[in-house]
Amino acid sequence: MTNRATSNNGSAAARQGTLAALKGLLPFLRPYGRQFAFAGIALVVAAAATLAIPYAFKQMIDLGFGASAGIKSIQHVNQTFLALFAVAAVLAIATAARFYTVSWLGERVTADIRSSVYRHVVNQSPEFFETTQTGEVLSRLTTDTTLIQTVVGTSISLALRNTLLFVGGLAMLFVTSPTLSAIIIGLLVLVVVPIVLFGRRVRTLSRDSQDRIADASALAGEILNAMPTVQAFTHEHLEANRFKSSVEGAFRTALRRIRARALLTLIAIVLVFGAIVFVLWLGAHAVLTGSMTGGDLGQFILYASIVAGAIGALSEVMGEAQRAAGAAERLLELLAVSSDIQDPVHPKALPPRGSIGAAVALRDVSFSYPSRPETAALAHLSLSVRPGETVAVVGPSGAGKSTLFQLLLRFYDPQAGAITLDGVDIRDLDLHTLRSAIGIVPQDTIIFSADAMENIRYGRADATDAEVIAVAKMAAAHEFIERLPQGYKSFLGERGVRLSGGQRQRIAIARALLKNPPLLLLDEATSALDAESERLVQSALEAAMVGRTTLIIAHRLATVQRADRIIVMEDGRIVETGTHASLVALGGVYANLAALQFHNVHVAH
């Protein structure tokens, strides 16, 4: 993926071994030691029951069908089959217990990983989201965690089970025939080396496959969130083809992985069973010469089958582990990303505040966005806002107005200078404390997939219905909400598609008013409103500004004329300060902006 925030970490992680990558999951496994222990006991019992079966067959062949066949042989056969049934019952109970426990572990650990990764991601600074696609994160939360679920809930159990069967079966092979066992071990060593070497290739392809799937998810998420624009420009066919190309790329990468895994399986089965067939051929000759009994050969064949089956299963598990290792790397990369914006180790408290709002000050602040460090968004900016003061910030696009708000919310830290709230450097405040003191109405209103009541209540989660309705009335939102099919319980659609731009903005204003903060930030808060709605909201905002400090960003100068002070910004600096009348008289940047706007208004009329 282009511009991945985690690409540097990923290149290092990709060089780790499969076990090293999966080892990073241990913190998620440790809390469930008791369940793992229970699964382990069930696993050992099931493996022991499986390994007891060939011995029972040896007894049946040698004692039941041997040279001394008679009444006793019938008794031996009966006893052997009763013992086999008892072993099967133990095997069934132990296998069922193991399946339930490891499946529970798979689901539980996957849920924990998803929650942990999501909690970590939502605490990242905006810098992370500047360079990371949302679809990529979603892919890691879904596809990658599903692969890990397969490993924890199935593959680990199968790996341990087949390892026990392999070791136990191998031990019993040596008990049955040391000579044949030594030969088969020598052959297996020659077989395993190419399998392991080829397995590394499968692991690399597995990670590539997951990356391509993530790219396709990122592309789909971006386009689905911009469907009105796509359809307005009639790019449906173009975007469908782009997604098809991305999916086909993912398919081709997956096909290479599948081919490699199929070839790995083919090599493993042919080489392993070829070695076993050769050794069994030697065993058959040993029976014919009388150096082995038929029961011994039967027991050897069954144990050899168990060993071969265990190796085959382990090769399958290895393929799953390769894929899970890639998934684990990608998830651990996300968890390893550290936000530059951190809570202080020893946060300070805000001093007691009266009922007139917060004091804000910026001292010689300079800032450049991480994605464009060579361009100064703010340069040596100093500003003091008194408690209860309303300050309007105006200027051309790119002047640094919205950047000022992002720094006040501490979405970023300036490279130089300091910002204080009520005399306390905001870097010394807990992020929750800082942001709880600030309400914002952004230019791009976010509406969640919920009803109108819950969308406004997002401003303060513990607000009552009556409080929500009260702020909706203040924001001139009550009337249009009441006209919705279910009123305040009406679902507003994903991203608020059922509302007009002005209605979405009034929901955002109500949300900010419900928070009731001492510092209110209005970023083009009335830009999407018609004249009547703007008049209603403007009067509501003026009432809401009483008793709090307010900073207003507006391109429409008519909305800021009654501000206590107007700050004019250009190229990240404050170039003019004053009231509307004094700035117009000054004949500078503000006067030019005012002349353009009011001239256009007169022309329109």
Side-chain angles (χ1 to χ4, degrees):
M1 183 188 73
T2 306
N3 292 331
R4 283 194 186 118
T6 55
S7 59
N8 292 334
N9 293 338
S11 60
R15 292 191 290 269
Q16 298 180 71
T18 302
L19 289 177
L22 294 176
K23 188 178 178 181
L25 300 177
L26 285 177
F28 297 99
L29 306 180
R30 285 195 189 100
Y32 307 108
R34 185 181 301 174
Q35 287 84 350
F36 276 107
F38 180 77
I41 292 169
L43 195 66
V44 170
V45 171
T50 303
L51 291 170
I53 292 173
Y55 179 76
F57 271 93
K58 167 187 161 56
Q59 295 295 102
M60 183 180 68
I61 292 170
D62 284 347
L63 300 179
F65 305 138
S68 59
I71 295 176
K72 282 189 176 182
S73 66
I74 296 173
Q75 292 175 344
H76 280 302
V77 168
N78 292 341
Q79 290 171 357
T80 300
F81 276 96
L82 282 172
L84 272 175
F85 180 76
V87 169
V90 171
L91 178 62
I93 293 168
T95 302
R98 174 187 62 83
F99 171 78
Y100 175 83
T101 308
V102 297
S103 296
W104 183 91
L105 282 166
E107 296 288 348
R108 179 68 267 166
V109 169
T110 302
D112 290 349
I113 291 172
R114 282 184 177 140
S115 296
S116 181
V117 171
Y118 188 77
R119 187 183 302 111
H120 185 72
V121 167
V122 297
N123 281 296
Q124 295 304 304
S125 68
E127 180 184 352
F128 172 83
F129 298 100
E130 274 187 42
T131 53
T132 305
Q133 292 173 300
T134 305
E136 166 76 3
V137 176
L138 293 175
S139 172
R140 297 190 188 199
L141 281 170
T142 53
T143 307
D144 292 350
T145 50
T146 301
L147 289 174
I148 289 173
Q149 177 185 340
T150 301
V151 169
V152 177
T154 305
S155 300
I156 290 178
S157 171
L158 286 177
L160 292 173
R161 174 178 177 271
N162 285 288
T163 299
L164 287 174
L165 291 178
F166 175 76
V167 173
L170 206 57
M172 292 306 296
L173 282 177
F174 274 98
V175 169
T176 307
S177 175
T179 304
L180 292 180
S181 299
I183 294 171
I184 203 170
I185 290 299
L187 291 173
L188 286 177
V189 169
L190 295 175
V191 164
V192 166
V193 171
I195 292 174
V196 170
L197 292 175
F198 198 72
R200 294 179 181 175
R201 163 78 174 159
V202 174
R203 178 169 173 268
T204 302
L205 290 172
S206 295
R207 182 180 172 91
D208 290 344
S209 176
Q210 287 151 228
D211 284 343
R212 297 295 77 74
I213 292 169
D215 289 344
S217 298
L219 177 62
E222 180 182 3
I223 298 308
L224 291 175
N225 283 330
M227 280 313 297
T229 303
V230 171
Q231 292 174 349
F233 285 91
T234 64
H235 279 194
E236 297 94 332
H237 184 67
L238 174 66
E239 295 301 346
N241 286 339
R242 278 182 66 204
F243 183 72
K244 181 180 179 182
S245 298
S246 182
V247 169
E248 288 299 320
F251 171 73
R252 287 191 294 272
T253 306
L255 207 57
R256 289 198 297 273
R257 171 180 58 78
I258 292 166
R259 284 198 204 101
R261 279 200 65 185
L263 189 56
L264 177 63
T265 303
L266 185 150
I267 292 170
I269 291 174
V270 169
L271 294 180
V272 169
F273 277 90
I276 290 172
V277 167
F278 173 70
V279 171
L280 293 182
W281 175 75
L282 295 177
H285 279 270
V287 172
L288 292 175
T289 59
S291 57
M292 281 183 79
T293 67
D296 284 337
L297 181 59
Q299 177 175 295
F300 191 89
I301 289 171
L302 287 175
Y303 280 126
S305 298
I306 289 173
V307 170
I311 292 173
L314 285 171
S315 69
E316 278 291 314
V317 169
M318 187 184 298
E320 290 296 331
Q322 304 287 359
R323 294 188 70 197
E329 285 172 0
R330 287 156 49 84
L331 286 166
L332 293 172
E333 283 170 8
L334 272 183
L335 287 172
V337 173
S338 177
S339 174
D340 291 334
I341 308 300
Q342 297 286 345
D343 283 320
V345 178
H346 303 292
K348 293 181 179 178
L350 286 170
R353 181 190 300 115
S355 59
I356 57 170
V360 179
L362 292 86
R363 295 194 300 270
D364 199 30
V365 169
S366 294
F367 173 72
S368 298
Y369 284 99
S371 56
R372 41 192 191 278
E374 69 288 344
T375 305
L378 296 179
H380 303 289
L381 187 142
S382 294
L383 172 66
S384 291
V385 183
R386 297 183 301 275
E389 187 179 14
T390 297
V391 175
V393 184
V394 300
S397 295
K401 303 184 299 295
S402 294
T403 300
L404 176 63
F405 280 16
Q406 297 206 55
L407 292 182
L408 286 172
L409 285 159
R410 209 181 164 218
F411 289 158
Y412 300 91
D413 280 336
Q415 282 85 27
I419 303 170
T420 62
L421 180 69
D422 289 332
V424 181
D425 192 317
I426 62 172
R427 285 172 292 199
D428 295 329
L429 292 172
D430 178 86
L431 287 171
H432 183 77
T433 300
L434 169 66
R435 292 168 185 169
S436 293
I438 302 174
I440 183 167
V441 179
Q443 185 173 2
D444 298 320
T445 303
I446 299 298
I447 300 295
F448 297 99
S449 297
D451 61 36
M453 181 72 74
E454 292 308 312
N455 261 287
I456 296 175
R457 189 177 275 128
Y458 204 81
R460 182 160 54 86
D462 60 352
T464 64
D465 289 358
E467 289 173 319
V468 170
I469 293 169
V471 296
K473 289 177 178 176
M474 289 179 65
H478 178 71
E479 288 187 9
F480 83 76
I481 293 175
E482 284 285 271
R483 288 197 297 269
L484 294 173
Q486 286 86 40
Y488 279 86
K489 295 300 180 184
S490 298
F491 176 68
L492 302 182
E494 187 174 5
R495 300 174 68 87
V497 294
R498 296 184 180 182
L499 301 180
S500 69
Q503 289 172 334
R504 286 198 295 271
Q505 209 148 18
R506 280 179 274 171
I507 292 282
I509 291 169
R511 187 186 291 162
L513 294 175
L514 184 64
K515 191 176 184 181
N516 194 28
L519 175 61
L520 186 61
L521 308 180
L522 306 177
D523 187 355
E524 297 287 348
T526 60
S527 63
L529 303 182
D530 55 51
E532 177 62 20
S533 293
E534 182 177 6
R535 184 185 63 80
L536 292 169
V537 171
Q538 194 64 46
S539 62
L541 287 175
E542 286 175 7
M545 291 175 196
V546 176
R548 60 172 53 89
T549 305
T550 308
L551 291 178
I552 306 171
I553 292 176
H555 285 111
R556 289 158 70 171
L557 303 185
T559 63
V560 302
Q561 289 184 40
R562 290 190 292 275
D564 298 322
R565 190 161 34 126
I566 300 173
I567 303 295
V568 184
M569 294 186 65
E570 193 172 49
D571 297 328
R573 301 172 186 271
I574 295 175
V575 293
E576 294 174 3
T577 303
T579 63
H580 171 73
S582 67
L583 291 174
V584 169
L586 189 63
V589 176
Y590 184 87
N592 290 334
L593 291 172
L596 284 171
Q597 287 200 21
F598 292 121
H599 174 71
N600 289 339
V601 169
H602 292 311
V603 169
H605 285 299

